[in-house]
Amino acid sequence: MEGVNERKQDEVFGVEDGGEPGDIDSPGPEYGFHLDDLMKGLIFYEDLQQDCQLQSFSDDLLLDIGEHNNEENHPHTTTSVELFRRFRSGFKRINGEKIIEPTSESICVKEPTTRLSTEEIMRVAGTRFIQSSSQTVDIMPILSKPLDLSLSGLSSEEIEDIELADMLLASAEKVSNQEYEHASKLLSQCDRLSSSTGNPVQRVVYYFSKALREKSDRESKGSRKNLPFDIPKVVMSAPNSAIIANFKHVPFCQVEQFAGVQAIVENMARAKRVHIIDFGIKCGVQWTLLMQALASRSECPLESLKITAVGSWACSRQMEIAGKWLMSFAETMNLPFSFMEVTMSAFDLKEDQFEIDAEETIAIYSEFFLWTMIPQPDRLDSVMNVIRKFNPCIMVIVEVESNLNSPYYLSRFIEALFYYSAYFDCLDVCMEKEVQNRLFTESLMNQGIKSVVVAEGEERKVRHVTIDVWRAFLSRFGMEEKELSMSSLYQAYLMVKNFACGNSCTLDRNGKSLIIGWKGTPIHSVSVWKFL
């Protein structure tokens, strides 16, 4: 797998750097990963100790992938001062160097950096905000307060970024307290100093400031702009070039897909008739890995492979494209393959929409799908009941690892600020400053920011929750969380090392699940489940 370099990844999609994707409707054999490269990483046997390379590697891997420390839930409070206090312990200063330890051990080698990350800037600003708010009742204390001595070692740009973040935090509190006139003054400063094409701090502040302005106008002036909060539909309308660019340059997608597919491969080792049900399929590239693994089995020859893609009407075109793509790839592997599409209605999913063979071994793969139904709990329950009837041998779930579903506004705001700050920081490291695909990705994230910051009640569609919440929910359906195997962790580790930015991408274990983060901030979770 270490041989999957950037050139080989181009071959998956048929694109060249800086170019547009090829005709994905009718791909040829050259669109697939090279078997010899990828099969180095796919592991079929159950006892990993049979492999000398993994035997020597496994102990180190367990140490390298840290244990994620679950933080307590946000206190139910109306002041941002108390909400920030729980983050203060994350700041450390060693011999005057700018070292801010992540909240859990990770594979990231923690070396002194030349500048603070975007999320670290926000946390420093949060500490200053606590100090300012607890010492004075002045309406704009942050703008007039002299710099803390603790910031004396920072660059002028970092200090400016911290001051800009200070103003954003003050704006959020003023909006929360319905002090709209004072908030407007602060937001005008934020607008003047931020930019959608600036450094990552300026970009984050730009989008959050716009959202706060819209919330303020809605509440104070009765302004009701139509907000495009149908996030899944917006995601599905993303140009192929943006999807490809994120897959190639941002590590999260490949790390979670390789770990998830490895888990499925292990559970399908003896299956002759394999059926994958993919909720929220995108381009489907991860299933080429499964096809190559199944085609290379020396025992238990495959009799059939079926993939059923599940999505809304908005996803129908994308499902069709993915199906043609995978059919073409399966032909190159001489696999007995079929592809089905199931379109969910606005309210329900029916068991009779699926073609299920009693002899099939079924696996469920859900990548950023379940969260879309959190605002409609009855619909989510219905989907889970249908899945339970299939009795899959395994269910792999990939979700955003952030609590953006709190009923308390400031709690939600702070969680979103830290999460999107880390993601924008990642994009700044992994993509050029003004590449169109990066700008599109950030504008897409802006829809999530607006949903969290502006919307309330039923209008708020973005409601991500953490793995602990998913555990409680899934246990209601008799599901048991399974340990991610050493081989799945091994896949994730190798993919991280394959990226130039790999030292910033962190892998943590939360119970039996894998948390993929950026410089210690959780971004996504990968978990494996089975019905009891």
Side-chain angles (χ1 to χ4, degrees), residues 305-508:
L305 169 63
K306 182 191 300 179
I307 294 179
T308 299
V310 183
S312 66
W313 285 106
C315 311
S316 56
R317 175 57 178 163
Q318 191 170 46
M319 291 192 292
E320 180 185 355
I321 292 174
K324 291 181 179 179
W325 197 94
L326 291 170
M327 288 290 291
S328 182
F329 185 86
E331 289 179 6
T332 69
M333 306 297 295
N334 295 318
L335 285 176
F337 176 70
S338 61
F339 185 87
M340 312 296 295
E341 299 175 30
V342 171
T343 303
M344 292 179 61
S345 68
F347 304 103
D348 209 355
L349 182 70
K350 301 294 186 182
E351 184 181 0
D352 58 13
Q353 292 178 270
F354 295 82
E355 295 184 10
I356 304 295
D357 188 320
E359 297 181 359
E360 291 176 339
T361 302
I362 298 174
I364 307 292
Y365 186 83
S366 173
E367 186 176 10
F368 308 123
F369 183 82
L370 296 181
W371 77 266
T372 63
M373 294 178 288
I374 290 178
Q376 301 169 289
D378 291 344
R379 190 182 185 200
L380 183 55
D381 287 351
S382 174
V383 169
M384 291 306 304
N385 283 324
V386 171
I387 291 175
R388 178 163 56 183
K389 291 177 182 178
F390 296 150
N391 191 28
C393 69
I394 185 176
M395 181 173 181
V396 176
I397 298 177
V398 180
E399 287 291 341
V400 168
E401 182 64 12
S402 184
N403 179 25
L404 303 185
N405 195 33
S406 172
Y408 300 94
Y409 176 72
L410 284 174
S411 177
R412 212 163 60 233
F413 181 92
I414 293 168
E415 284 281 357
L417 181 63
F418 289 155
Y419 175 81
Y420 285 106
S421 290
Y423 214 116
F424 273 62
D425 192 82
C426 173
L427 294 176
D428 188 63
V429 172
C430 298
M431 293 185 175
E432 294 297 328
K433 185 175 182 180
E434 297 193 25
V435 170
Q436 282 301 117
N437 290 325
R438 175 183 172 183
L439 296 175
F440 177 85
T441 300
E442 292 176 346
S443 67
L444 181 63
M445 290 185 175
N446 179 42
Q447 306 308 315
I449 292 171
K450 290 173 70 174
S451 181
V452 172
V453 176
V454 181
E456 294 291 350
E458 294 181 359
E459 190 181 27
R460 182 160 55 86
K461 303 300 184 183
V462 174
R463 295 173 176 264
H464 296 298
V465 296
T466 63
I467 185 64
D468 292 328
V469 177
W470 285 118
R471 285 191 181 109
F473 171 77
L474 294 170
S475 66
R476 291 169 40 201
F477 297 90
M479 299 192 76
E480 179 185 20
E481 187 177 9
K482 308 296 291 184
E483 189 88 38
L484 267 172
S485 70
M486 181 64 65
S487 51
S488 286
L489 297 177
Y490 183 63
Q491 297 293 333
Y493 179 85
L494 288 181
M495 289 313 300
V496 165
K497 302 295 286 185
N498 199 45
F499 283 83
C501 63
N503 279 346
S504 295
C505 184
T506 53
L507 300 179
D508 298 311

Side-chain angles (χ1 to χ4, degrees), residues 109-124:
V109 179
K110 296 181 282 291
E111 300 174 348
T113 57
T114 56
R115 65 168 282 117
L116 297 178
S117 72
T118 306
E119 198 250 8
E120 289 166 350
I121 291 286
M122 298 300 175
R123 289 181 182 267
V124 172

